[in-house]
Amino acid sequence: MAGHSKWANIQHRKGKQDKLRSKLFSKLAKEITVAAKMGDPDPDKNPRLRLAVKEAKSSSVPKDVIDRAIKKSQGGDAENYEEIRYEGYGPNGIAIIVEAMTDNRNRTASNVRSYFTKHGGDLGQTGSVSFMFDRVGEIMYPASAGDADTVMMAALEAGASDVESDDEGHWIYTSDTDLAEVSAALEATLGESESAKLIWKPQAPTEVTDLDHATKLMKLIDTLEEDDDVQNVTANFDLTEEVAAQLG
C-alpha cells in the first residue's frame, strides 16, 4: 500500500488539506443535502446519508453544519443538483475520473474541459477510462486498530473482499453494494472507522517517475479539486518515493 502513504504524505506536505478545508466542508455538506433529499432525512434509515455524515464527521465538519445541510434538504429552496461523471486523460496518459454535483451542467462541463485542455490533458466520453477502475467501497482504519492479521480476519468475517495494510493504516474494500453493511459489521469488532465511502479504485496504477510529469499531473488534479462543482477526483497513478519527496 505504498501508494496510500505517498499520496497522504504529498497532501500533508503541501498543506493541501488546510488550504481546501473550507471547500471540503462545502462539498461534504452538498453530498449530505443531496443524500437526504433523495432518501430519508434520518441517517439510520438512509445508507447513503449515513455514510455522508460519517465522512463529514471524520473530516471534522461541525455538527451544526451537518444538521443544517440535512435541514436544507427538506426545505423548498434546496438546489436541484445533478450528479455527473467526467472521464479523460491527464498529462502522460494518466486516466482521470471527475465526479461532480452541479446545478448548471453547461458551466461545469465547460470548466472541466478547460482544466483538462489547459493542463495538458484531454477530456473524453463517459466510459472512456472508467473500465480501468473498479467501483468499490473503501473503509479506512488507522494502524492502531490492530495488526494486519487481526484486521484481515475481522474484515473477511464482516464480508469484505480485500484488505491492504501498511504502517499508516488499513484499507478494507467491499463491493459497492455492501459498503454500509460491512462498515456497520466492522464497527462492532474494530470500533468506528476513520472513513467509509465509495471510490473508483485503479486496477493497475501507472508509476510516475518523472518530476515534470508529476508536477503537471498534480496541477491538473489540484485545479479540478478547487472547482466548487467537483466532488471527487480519482486518477490511476502512483508516485515513486523520489518524485514524491521532490514534490514536497
Side-chain angles (χ1 to χ4, degrees):
M1 280 313 296
H4 275 293
S5 55
K6 287 176 204 163
W7 184 243
N9 286 340
I10 292 163
Q11 295 218 19
H12 174 71
R13 281 200 296 269
K14 292 176 70 179
K16 188 173 173 186
Q17 295 299 349
D18 288 338
K19 173 184 160 192
L20 293 178
R21 185 163 295 277
S22 62
K23 280 192 179 296
L24 177 65
F25 281 13
S26 68
K27 289 176 191 286
L28 292 169
K30 186 190 287 187
E31 166 63 20
I32 289 171
T33 298
V34 169
K37 189 172 183 178
M38 290 175 64
D40 195 292
D42 181 355
D44 290 334
K45 301 175 183 176
N46 182 335
R48 177 171 174 175
L49 178 58
R50 185 164 64 250
L51 290 170
V53 169
K54 180 181 182 62
E55 191 66 19
K57 287 180 177 177
S58 73
S59 298
S60 303
V61 176
K63 185 177 185 298
D64 65 310
V65 174
I66 294 173
D67 292 341
R68 194 158 58 242
I70 294 176
K71 188 175 180 180
K72 182 179 180 181
S73 73
Q74 303 307 298
D77 58 344
E79 295 93 337
N80 287 313
Y81 291 114
E82 185 178 4
E83 294 180 275
I84 307 173
R85 186 176 82 237
Y86 301 97
E87 302 179 26
Y89 290 93
N92 216 33
I94 299 298
I96 298 176
I97 293 178
V98 181
E99 294 171 282
M101 277 187 189
T102 180
D103 56 0
N104 186 325
R105 175 191 278 261
N106 291 336
R107 176 193 67 221
T108 308
S110 175
N111 287 345
V112 170
R113 186 177 299 281
S114 70
Y115 301 149
F116 271 88
T117 301
K118 182 179 178 182
H119 296 287
D122 183 32
L123 187 63
Q125 300 295 317
T126 300
S128 59
V129 304
S130 56
F131 67 91
M132 300 184 214
F133 299 77
D134 293 320
R135 186 62 165 165
V136 299
E138 180 189 70
I139 304 165
M140 191 269 172
Y141 276 90
S144 58
D147 60 39
D149 289 342
T150 300
V151 173
M152 171 73 81
M153 288 303 297
L156 294 179
E157 287 176 8
S161 55
D162 192 20
V163 182
E164 297 175 352
S165 299
D166 67 10
D167 293 341
E168 296 190 3
H170 309 279
W171 287 263
I172 298 164
Y173 297 101
T174 76
S175 68
D176 56 348
T177 54
D178 291 343
L179 175 58
E181 184 179 336
V182 174
S183 178
L186 280 170
E187 283 192 13
T189 53
L190 298 178
E192 189 164 354
S193 63
E194 285 193 354
S195 172
K197 58 189 176 183
L198 288 171
I199 66 163
W200 291 95
K201 188 172 186 283
Q203 295 167 357
T206 299
E207 189 169 65
V208 177
T209 58
D210 182 87
L211 180 60
D212 183 52
H213 290 159
T215 302
K216 290 177 179 176
L217 178 61
M218 296 306 296
K219 181 62 178 173
L220 170 56
I221 291 173
D222 285 349
T223 303
L224 285 164
E225 289 183 335
E226 286 169 9
D227 189 284
D228 290 338
D229 295 333
V230 173
Q231 291 291 103
N232 298 295
V233 180
T234 310
N236 71 336
F237 75 101
D238 197 1
L239 299 175
T240 62
E241 293 286 0
E242 183 182 1
V243 169
Q246 288 177 288
L247 273 177

